[in-house]
């Protein structure tokens, strides 16, 4: 075996016993390759403030919103070039700055040097080889406050020891706003294939198809404390991150998002008949919670969050009924409490049927719940997250079984909802349009 040959080269003749041990190591290594591997990436956290349009009764103002982004390391090319990316379940492509980009938003970050890689290939959008000097296909991705343009490349992409040959976008231009404010370099999309430019652009699918993973899934643990690390794990679910058993929900729409159905919204485990059969997209690239405007307005009335914060400590839990479970959030998760007072922090987001009405579960939800994304079976797993500053009993109490502790009752006066259209580029009824037009919008924490 190769190990035995290496030992022979270093130490001379290898005795029979030692040589036998080396063969065993080789067999074990081959067996591990056949079984697949798992790898966890530590995620750093960036907190920053961003201005967001805020509409009051008669005036429109710019409101300062606190946002977060979680990002980790990925390597591209031969020899490997390191980048930091947001691992984003709300987009489908890998997108990083390239040395073809000279804007300040690019030069302040690490850029992929195409000339420094011996394995890179220049390609067009359909994967065909690009001839030197010929026109190149270019993609332009429009965000809420800016845009990125880029060309298509193909090279080896590694997440720790997990590597695959992947097509990706190398940015040739980035606007100053908002990209200059980010610590991370780019985004690695982990949405389902409908959100990627094509099958070969999906890093997750490439790893699954090559049988590199122990299990065809990844899992996410987010922390808001410096006492513990956030992480994403490819190929496995880490039991030590869970304070409750995990339950699974099937992906409910073929939009490309990790989208599941919720039966209703609950306040202190009581169903409100506010959003029966709504949809939820679980989005690791979004730093906020969002939902249909009319639902949020009615929900704000029922939660009765006083602007002077006088009832903050007596506010109820806000829950989402999913299958036979209620996934609860505490007031600190859904209330924006600051010097100007308190208000419900859910963003308005109106998506028409059949993909909506749609909620977005971003970082506030993902810090409470450990989530897993099963590519083969197209399902999302949820478990109460185990944090170092919270007892297991406290954490598991957030996730209530409808067949166990906690009684869910029907509330009176169901509200008639009207769902309008907003943010069509991100959460559109046309999944095919999104995949081509705005497939990488997950780079924006908070969207």
């Amino acid at each position: 075996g190769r190990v035995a040959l290496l030992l022979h080269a270093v130490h001379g003749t290898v005795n029979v016993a030692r040589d036998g041990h080396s063969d065993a190591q080789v067999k074990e290594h081959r067996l591990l390759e056949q079984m697949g591997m798992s790898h966890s990436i530590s995620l750093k956290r960036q907190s920053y403030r961003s201005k967001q349009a805020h509409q009051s009764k008669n005036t429109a103002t710019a409101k300062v919103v606190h946002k977060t982004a979680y990002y980790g390391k990925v390597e591209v090319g031969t020899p490997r070039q390191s980048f930091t990316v947001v691992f984003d379940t709300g987009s489908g492509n890998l997108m990083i700055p390239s040395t073809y980009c000279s804007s300040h938003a690019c030069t302040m970050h690490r850029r992929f040097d195409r000339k420094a890689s011996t394995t890179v290939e220049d390609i067009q959008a359909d994967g065909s080889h690009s001839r030197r000097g010929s026109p190149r296909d270019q993609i332009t991705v429009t965000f809420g406050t800016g845009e990125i343009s880029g060309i298509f490349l193909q090279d080896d992409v590694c997440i720790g020891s997990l590597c695959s040959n992947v097509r990706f976008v190398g940015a040739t231009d980035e606007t100053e706003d908002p990209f200059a404010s980010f610590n991370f370099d780019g985004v690695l999309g982990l949405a389902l294939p409908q959100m990627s430019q094509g099958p070969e652009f999906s890093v997750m699918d490439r790893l699954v198809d090559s049988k590199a993973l122990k299990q065809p899934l990844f899992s996410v643990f987010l922390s808001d404390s410096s006492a513990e690390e956030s992480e994403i794990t490819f190929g496995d679910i880490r039991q030590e991150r869970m304070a409750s058993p995990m339950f699974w929900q099937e992906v409910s729409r073929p939009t490309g998002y990790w989208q599941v159905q919720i039966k209703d919204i609950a306040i202190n485990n009581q169903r409100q008949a506010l959003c029966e059969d709504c949809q939820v997209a679980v989005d690791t690239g979004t730093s906020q919670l969002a939902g249909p405007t009319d639902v949020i307005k009615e929900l704000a009335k029922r939660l009765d969050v006083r602007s002077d914060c006088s009832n903050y400590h007596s506010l109820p839990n806000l829950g989402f009924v999913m299958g036979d479970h209620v996934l609860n959030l505490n007031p600190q998760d859904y209330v924006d409490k600051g010097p100007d007072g308190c208000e419900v922090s859910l963003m308005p987001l109106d998506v028409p049927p059949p993909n909506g009405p749609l909620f977005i579960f971003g970082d506030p939800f993902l810090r409470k719940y450990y989530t897993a994304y099963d590519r083969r079976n197209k399902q999302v797993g949820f478990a109460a997250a185990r944090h170092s500053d919270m007892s297991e009993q406290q954490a598991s109490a957030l996730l209530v079984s409808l067949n166990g502790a906690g009684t869910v009752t029907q509330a009176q006066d169901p509200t008639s909802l009207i769902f309008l259209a907003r943010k069509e580029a991100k959460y559109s009824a046309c999944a095919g349009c999104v995949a081509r037009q705005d497939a990488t919008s997950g780079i924006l924490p908070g969207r």
Side-chain angles (χ1 to χ4, degrees):
R2 187 181 176 196
V3 175
L5 290 173
L6 288 173
L7 286 170
H8 181 82
V10 176
H11 300 291
T13 304
V14 182
N15 61 40
V16 174
R18 192 166 185 180
D19 190 52
H21 179 67
S22 299
D23 286 340
Q25 286 181 321
V26 172
K27 289 178 181 178
E28 182 180 1
H29 178 70
R30 288 174 179 167
L31 182 61
L32 284 172
E33 283 187 332
Q34 293 172 2
M35 292 173 62
M37 302 171 63
S38 65
H39 189 84
S40 294
I41 299 285
S42 295
L43 303 178
K44 293 183 178 180
R45 180 173 180 260
Q46 177 188 2
S47 298
Y48 62 99
R49 291 186 294 180
S50 175
K51 288 185 178 180
Q52 178 179 296
H54 182 66
Q55 183 74 42
S56 59
K57 288 184 179 179
N58 299 312
T59 59
T61 58
K63 174 187 172 185
V64 175
V65 177
H66 295 270
K67 295 186 177 182
T68 55
Y70 294 85
Y71 55 93
K73 181 181 174 182
V74 66
E75 295 173 306
V76 183
T78 308
R80 298 183 185 183
Q81 301 176 40
S82 296
F83 301 91
T84 53
V85 295
V86 170
F87 293 92
D88 179 25
T89 58
S91 65
N93 301 326
L94 171 61
M95 196 166 195
I96 53 177
S98 76
T99 51
Y100 295 121
C101 182
S102 56
S103 65
H104 175 253
C106 282
T107 57
M108 66 175 290
H109 291 108
R110 279 165 287 196
R111 295 178 295 166
F112 178 71
D113 187 351
R114 180 246 177 276
K115 295 179 180 178
S117 176
T118 60
T119 49
V120 69
E121 295 180 47
D122 296 312
I123 60 172
Q124 302 286 32
D126 61 1
S128 60
H129 290 282
S130 174
R131 295 180 180 178
R132 181 174 295 181
S134 299
R136 294 285 298 274
D137 287 344
Q138 180 173 290
I139 184 172
T140 298
V141 183
T142 302
F143 300 94
T145 55
E147 66 180 27
I148 294 179
S149 296
I151 56 173
F152 301 98
L153 300 164
Q154 183 167 338
D155 209 338
D156 295 333
V157 175
C158 294
I159 302 170
S161 55
L162 299 169
C163 299
S164 188
N165 194 254
V166 178
R167 296 174 186 173
F168 63 97
V169 176
T172 56
D173 187 51
E174 294 184 2
T175 55
E176 185 79 4
D177 181 21
F179 306 105
S181 64
F182 298 152
N183 290 345
F184 53 88
D185 304 312
V187 59
L188 192 153
L190 291 170
L192 291 163
Q194 296 93 329
M195 283 295 293
S196 64
Q197 190 68 23
E200 295 82 1
F201 284 82
S202 171
V203 174
M204 185 62 188
D205 273 22
R206 298 293 285 173
L207 291 173
V208 171
D209 292 344
S210 64
K211 295 181 171 55
L213 299 175
K214 182 180 175 182
Q215 297 183 66
L217 52 77
F218 62 94
S219 53
V220 177
F221 174 83
L222 297 186
S223 171
D224 58 0
S225 166
S226 58
E228 57 187 356
E229 282 192 332
S230 301
E231 70 177 13
I232 181 170
T233 301
F234 288 87
D236 207 357
I237 297 169
R238 299 193 63 183
Q239 299 295 324
E240 64 269 29
R241 293 300 192 187
M242 300 191 299
S244 73
M246 179 168 280
F247 74 93
W248 295 88
Q249 286 287 108
E250 291 184 356
V251 171
S252 55
R253 295 283 190 276
T255 60
Y257 298 104
W258 291 97
Q259 182 174 331
V260 299
Q261 185 173 321
I262 56 173
K263 293 181 177 179
D264 201 358
I265 297 171
I267 295 177
N268 279 345
N269 297 325
Q270 293 187 339
R271 289 179 66 160
Q272 299 295 303
L274 264 177
C275 203
E276 295 179 341
D277 298 326
C278 280
Q279 302 289 309
V280 166
V282 189
D283 193 342
T284 59
T286 296
S287 64
Q288 294 172 290
L289 302 172
T293 301
D294 287 5
V295 178
I296 291 174
K297 285 181 178 179
E298 180 61 28
L299 191 57
K301 290 180 184 178
R302 300 189 189 188
L303 291 169
D304 190 28
V305 178
R306 294 175 188 166
S307 59
D308 62 359
C309 304
S310 59
N311 66 340
Y312 179 76
H313 295 291
S314 61
L315 290 172
N317 283 345
L318 171 62
F320 297 87
V321 183
M322 192 180 296
D324 293 328
H325 302 82
V326 180
L327 290 85
N328 282 299
L329 297 175
N330 299 131
Q332 60 262 37
D333 304 316
Y334 68 83
V335 174
D336 186 6
K337 185 173 184 287
D340 297 329
C342 289
E343 65 177 340
V344 175
S345 60
L346 276 75
M347 288 175 54
L349 170 66
D350 294 303
V351 178
N355 294 337
L358 184 70
F359 275 86
I360 308 299
F361 284 173
D363 294 347
F365 176 87
L366 293 164
R367 285 191 284 268
K368 292 290 184 186
Y369 295 95
Y370 182 60
T371 51
Y373 307 80
D374 184 340
R375 175 64 188 90
R376 181 166 294 161
N377 299 307
K378 294 183 181 178
Q379 58 182 358
V380 183
F382 300 89
R386 177 182 288 163
H387 291 290
S388 59
D389 59 352
M390 181 183 290
S391 70
E392 186 171 339
Q393 184 177 3
Q394 288 175 311
S396 61
L398 292 170
L399 201 162
V400 176
S401 172
L402 300 189
N403 296 325
T407 302
V408 174
T409 60
Q410 192 72 37
Q412 298 298 314
D413 300 322
T415 303
S416 176
L417 304 178
I418 301 173
F419 300 103
L420 305 174
R422 182 176 174 270
K423 274 195 174 180
E424 293 90 347
K426 170 71 179 160
Y427 295 101
S428 171
C430 173
C433 300
V434 176
R436 296 287 172 175
Q437 181 180 352
D438 200 14
T440 52
S441 57
I443 195 172
L444 283 177
R447 298 291 185 261

